[in-house]
Amino acid sequence: MFTILLICGGLVGFYLLLCLTVLQLPKCKSTAKLHGKTVVVTGANSGIGKATALDLARRGARVILACRDESKALAAVTDIQRETGNKEVVYMHLDLASLKSVRSFAENFLRKESRLDILINNAGLVMAGKTEDGFGMIFGVNHLGHFLLTILLLERLKECGPSRVVTVSSMTYSWGKIDFNCINTHKDLCLGKSGLYLVTLYSHSKLCNNLFIHELAKRLKGTNVTCYSLHPGIIKTDIVRHSTIWWRLLMAPIVLLFFTDVDSGAQTSLHCALQEGLEPLSGRYFSSCAVQNVPAKARDDAVAKKLWEVSESLVGLA
Ligand SMILES: NC(=O)c1ccc[n+]([C@@H]2O[C@H](COP(=O)([O-])OP(=O)(O)OC[C@H]3O[C@@H](n4cnc5c(N)ncnc54)[C@H](OP(=O)(O)O)[C@@H]3O)[C@@H](O)[C@H]2O)c1
Ligand SMILES: *[C@@H]1O[C@H](CO)[C@@H](O)[C@H](O)[C@H]1NC(C)=O
């Protein structure tokens, strides 16, 4: 009996220790105000994106929530306006699973908005299926859609410099690899059917995010636009909502106990978007509000350049 109590006590103590240490994420220290600045956040209706948009709205920015689901997006606009008192929070439709939608978002945005100071490529998913253009869903949304979006908005970012592009990647990039053959033959990052297949695709897509930012930084040399990729932490969001019921049941207690809240999850995005003096670190990858060293495959010049060129041709830019 005593032993059981001791073990339980030990576990609770260990958990509390975890809560106070590894489950704590540092806060973005920037006190920047953003009155007169315009920010776009993709996938801002929920999770990390919504928490990021909320903080930016609180700092006075005009915040565009670029989302695919109108009713969810309008609910988020209402929440954020109510919580911050900032009326300059608006929804514009963007479905990253459709290149046509990305193009019409960009046209619409460039016609209506005179500025773009910060672009936050936050949307992401883990989901089977194909995009409207026949790309694997994860590849299409997490990488290609954001690739096209960023390029279409780049001139406006340059005009408004100093400006920034921030792409929310994930630490799972470290399991990723880029298979150009598979991209050529199947418009996807890999093939398979196992339970881990989607996680594998996701990891590959997040490596694409890092390589995209690596190459973008080079192409932006000499402009006043800088760019960053990041891991937000392991965050309590509904990102597993498209998974099977078994996977979700298995994950639920783990998520509840060991994942961090969304406000903490927004901090590294905010750090990359706002922190003064980051410009010399353009192209780098961040986690816990700090720059990180990445393995060679996540900063491989040749692969990053090739991925850029292949992506250009896939989205019809080349
Ligand atoms: N949660 C974590 O632990 C974690 C860890 C590492 C990285 N991340 C990354 O963090 C980012 C945010 O994820 P989250 O955890 O906050 O998940 P989330 O709550 O599911 O948010 C994802 C957002 O992306 C949007 N989205 C999905 N497909 C889209 C499309 N085709 N067009 C436009 N928007 C689309 C979703 O819109 P709907 O609501 O309409 O689906 C939602 O607003 C993702 O890039 C994710 O990969 C998260
Ligand atoms: C970058 O910004 C600085 C200071 O605002 C300005 O002097 C310079 O002309 C800009 N450079 C470019 C390439 O726009």
Side-chain angles (χ1 to χ4, degrees), residues 135 139-140 142-148 151 167 169 173 176-184 187-189 203-216 219 297-318:
F135 298 108
F139 179 42
N142 295 8
H143 171 63
L144 285 177
H146 281 128
F147 174 82
L148 179 59
I151 291 182
T167 289
S169 177
Y173 84 82
K177 62 179 191 319
I178 311 292
D179 179 351
F180 288 106
N181 278 330
C182 192
I183 296 177
N184 270 332
K187 294 173 119 183
D188 209 344
L189 293 166
S203 306
H204 296 338
S205 79
K206 292 297 170 178
L207 179 59
C208 290
N209 289 162
N210 290 27
L211 290 168
F212 164 61
I213 288 298
H214 180 77
E215 175 71 17
L216 180 63
R219 291 176 185 244
K297 71 170 172 185
R299 52 183 162 80
D300 183 312
D301 293 330
V303 175
K305 179 166 184 284
K306 186 165 176 192
L307 179 65
W308 185 284
E309 289 162 359
V310 167
S311 303
E312 264 181 339
S313 96
L314 291 175
V315 301
L317 282 175

Side-chain angles (χ1 to χ4, degrees), residues 38-84:
T38 300
V39 182
V40 169
V41 184
T42 68
N45 59 275
S46 73
I48 297 163
K50 185 177 174 190
T52 306
L54 183 87
D55 185 285
L56 296 166
R58 202 170 270 139
R59 293 169 190 264
R62 178 168 171 79
V63 184
I64 316 286
L65 276 57
C67 305
R68 61 174 167 177
D69 183 311
E70 171 159 355
S71 62
K72 285 198 221 168
L74 291 176
V77 167
T78 309
D79 284 353
I80 296 174
Q81 285 190 352
R82 184 168 10 87
E83 220 168 300
T84 62

Side-chain angles (χ1 to χ4, degrees), residues 143-287:
H143 171 63
L144 285 177
H146 281 128
F147 174 82
L148 179 59
L149 178 71
T150 306
I151 291 182
L152 295 177
L153 299 181
L154 220 44
E155 273 313 306
R156 186 58 49 86
L157 282 158
K158 285 181 189 168
E159 290 160 21
C160 299
S163 56
R164 295 185 184 183
V165 177
V166 175
T167 289
V168 182
S169 177
S170 164
M171 63 187 255
T172 58
Y173 84 82
S174 61
W175 305 324
K177 62 179 191 319
I178 311 292
D179 179 351
F180 288 106
N181 278 330
C182 192
I183 296 177
N184 270 332
T185 52
H186 290 87
K187 294 173 119 183
D188 209 344
L189 293 166
C190 70
L191 303 175
K193 288 240 160 356
S194 78
L196 284 181
Y197 165 57
L198 293 181
V199 179
T200 310
L201 274 173
Y202 178 78
S203 306
H204 296 338
S205 79
K206 292 297 170 178
L207 179 59
C208 290
N209 289 162
N210 290 27
L211 290 168
F212 164 61
I213 288 298
H214 180 77
E215 175 71 17
L216 180 63
K218 288 192 181 176
R219 291 176 185 244
L220 288 173
K221 284 244 166 70
T223 72
N224 281 328
V225 189
T226 54
C227 59
Y228 314 88
S229 66
L230 66 103
H231 170 63
I234 300 181
I235 311 301
K236 263 179 216 147
T237 65
D238 207 10
I239 196 163
V240 293
R241 67 181 164 288
H242 305 291
S243 323
T244 61
I245 181 79
W246 298 113
W247 185 244
R248 275 154 56 205
L249 280 176
L250 178 77
M251 288 300 285
I254 302 176
V255 169
L256 191 70
L257 286 173
F258 296 110
F259 284 29
T260 313
D261 63 280
V262 286
D263 292 332
S264 306
Q267 298 306 313
T268 304
S269 295
L270 293 166
H271 178 81
C272 291
L274 304 172
Q275 186 60 50
E276 297 76 10
L278 283 194
E279 287 75 12
L281 299 175
S282 185
R284 303 283 301 273
Y285 168 80
F286 289 69
S287 178

